[in-house]
Amino acid sequence: MELEDRIKRWRLILGEESEAGFSAMGDTSLSGEQDLMDQALAAIYDNTSSGGGFGARGAGKGPSAPVVSKWLGDVRLLFDKELVSIIQADAMERCGLKQLMFEPELLEKLEPDLNLASMMLTLKDQIPKRSKEQVRSFIERIVEEINRLLADDIRRAVTAAVDRRRHSPIPSAAALDYKETIRRNLKNYNPDLKKLVPERFYFYDRTSKNMSNRYTVILDVDQSGSMGESVIYSSVISCILASLRSLKTHIIAFDTNVVDLTEKCDDPVDLLFGFQLGGGTDIEKSVAYCQQLIDTPKKTLFFLISDLMEGGSRAGLLRRLGEMKDSGVSVICLLAIADGGRPYYDEQIAGRIASMGIPCFACNPQKVPQLLERALKGQDLNVFQKDLERAGK
């Protein structure tokens, strides 16, 4: 990169006030696109700007929705997607734009972002009626992205572990799986015949009709304020699991109260709006509720998704987790399901849980399918945990 280009890039990073210092080193004049970038960045990072930036507003009056709308449009055109998310988040925090986040015309321009989605869910009771549909649409875009990331891998993992006999090679009209046959043969639709011409038919194995042999998966999710990303990922994962016939899935939300959200697993967006982010934490109470959902311990996976900041009985929590494990339940503690940095959690409680032989670790969402497959196969998850630690995940 030439010296002149480097000077201009540093001038953009440091802002208008640095121009005098750089002018002695070379040409600092910005191109038309660079000038737009400079204005967009100054709007939130330059509090002394005379150009009417968001940070320079006076008399307590925030920027108007049309101004912010134009600014969001400029940012999305000028910067890479990763930078757009960072700039949006900084604008919300630095410039008092939270109240404008619920303006319908702005919501349509916001780049999908987990932090913003978490903030919306936290403030969902304050969303004005005129913005409810746009907020839901924004959340739906987040859900669709996560679903694309995880759905196929989770289904493959579960099939590899417990559902290998679901479809039988032996044809039987009574056992024909119409839904699966149609879904897998949609690509073979013949527009001339106006008919679906299947290449292969799928039949249920009669042994799989005994639903009492299904595995039970329980996700016990902390909905305290620090768990926003985990709540979003957990909701999408729960809905994917609930769609699998070989699993019986429960999703429980807790703070100081316990709410069973299992009936909302048909729609991840409805499920997310069932959470109430923020509040205290009583993990022991939620684990006690989940114990009542266990029919066959050796065919049950229990995921506690929490920062472990227990406001209830720590001794009671450890005792109940120990009872679950001793009964044959596969107990797994996830400190976070998030793309972002290292989770904040109670290290002392995490250490006590780990000393009981219960895996207790942070997990990137892309690793969840591998975790599920190993857990369903009864493999040693401590090995999986060490693999994650070695990989720095």
Side-chain angles (χ1 to χ4, degrees), residues 82-315:
E82 292 78 9
L83 287 175
V84 170
S85 294
I86 294 171
I87 293 170
Q88 282 181 176
D90 283 350
M92 297 296 170
E93 292 300 324
R94 293 168 64 96
C95 307
L97 300 183
K98 289 182 182 179
Q99 70 277 15
L100 290 175
M101 183 172 62
F102 295 137
E103 291 294 333
E105 61 269 32
L106 299 185
L107 288 166
E108 294 174 0
K109 293 179 179 291
L110 284 173
E111 192 70 33
D113 178 79
L114 278 169
N115 288 325
L116 291 183
S118 299
M119 189 185 301
M120 288 177 182
L121 291 170
T122 301
L123 302 174
K124 64 185 174 69
D125 293 335
Q126 302 171 35
I127 300 173
K129 289 183 179 179
R130 68 179 183 277
S131 300
K132 286 186 181 293
E133 284 302 314
Q134 284 79 6
V135 169
R136 184 180 177 87
S137 177
F138 182 87
I139 300 294
E140 281 178 347
R141 283 187 280 158
I142 297 283
V143 166
E144 287 169 2
E145 286 191 5
I146 298 173
N147 203 62
R148 282 195 295 270
L149 176 71
L150 297 177
D152 288 345
D153 287 342
I154 287 178
R155 291 190 179 102
R156 276 194 291 267
V158 172
T159 300
V162 302
D163 212 17
R164 287 169 291 181
R165 294 195 302 170
R166 179 181 168 197
H167 288 105
S168 169
I170 303 172
S172 167
L176 178 64
D177 183 349
Y178 290 95
K179 184 176 180 181
E180 189 72 1
T181 298
I182 292 171
R183 187 180 71 82
R184 296 202 183 195
N185 286 284
L186 284 174
K187 63 181 183 295
N188 299 317
Y189 178 76
N190 187 315
D192 295 327
L193 297 175
K194 295 185 179 180
K195 291 182 179 180
L196 201 67
V197 183
E199 287 183 353
R200 178 181 172 186
F201 293 87
Y202 293 83
F203 300 89
Y204 289 114
D205 184 339
R206 293 184 184 278
T207 60
S208 70
K209 291 187 177 181
N210 184 359
M211 304 308 279
S212 64
N213 286 327
R214 287 191 300 175
Y215 275 78
T216 296
V217 179
I218 303 171
L219 291 92
D220 193 20
V221 185
D222 187 340
Q223 59 178 353
S224 59
S226 62
M227 298 295 293
E229 286 189 42
S230 289
V231 165
I232 293 172
Y233 277 113
S234 299
S235 294
V236 178
I237 290 169
S238 298
C239 291
I240 295 170
L241 295 176
S243 71
L244 301 175
R245 297 170 188 259
S246 55
L247 300 179
K248 182 179 181 181
T249 303
H250 298 274
I251 182 161
I252 311 304
F254 69 89
D255 40 39
T256 52
N257 295 308
V258 179
V259 182
D260 194 327
L261 297 174
T262 302
E263 290 185 356
K264 295 182 178 290
C265 278
D266 289 338
D267 186 329
V269 180
D270 284 345
L271 181 56
L272 277 170
F273 278 97
F275 281 89
Q276 186 65 56
L277 288 171
T281 310
D282 191 336
I283 309 174
E284 192 257 347
K285 182 191 288 186
S286 72
V287 175
Y289 177 85
C290 291
Q291 283 181 297
Q292 303 172 45
L293 304 175
I294 300 170
D295 294 322
T296 309
K298 291 185 178 179
K299 281 189 169 288
T300 301
L301 267 63
F302 174 75
F303 290 92
L304 173 60
I305 303 170
S306 173
D307 57 15
L308 301 179
M309 298 293 176
E310 175 64 297
S313 170
R314 293 189 170 200

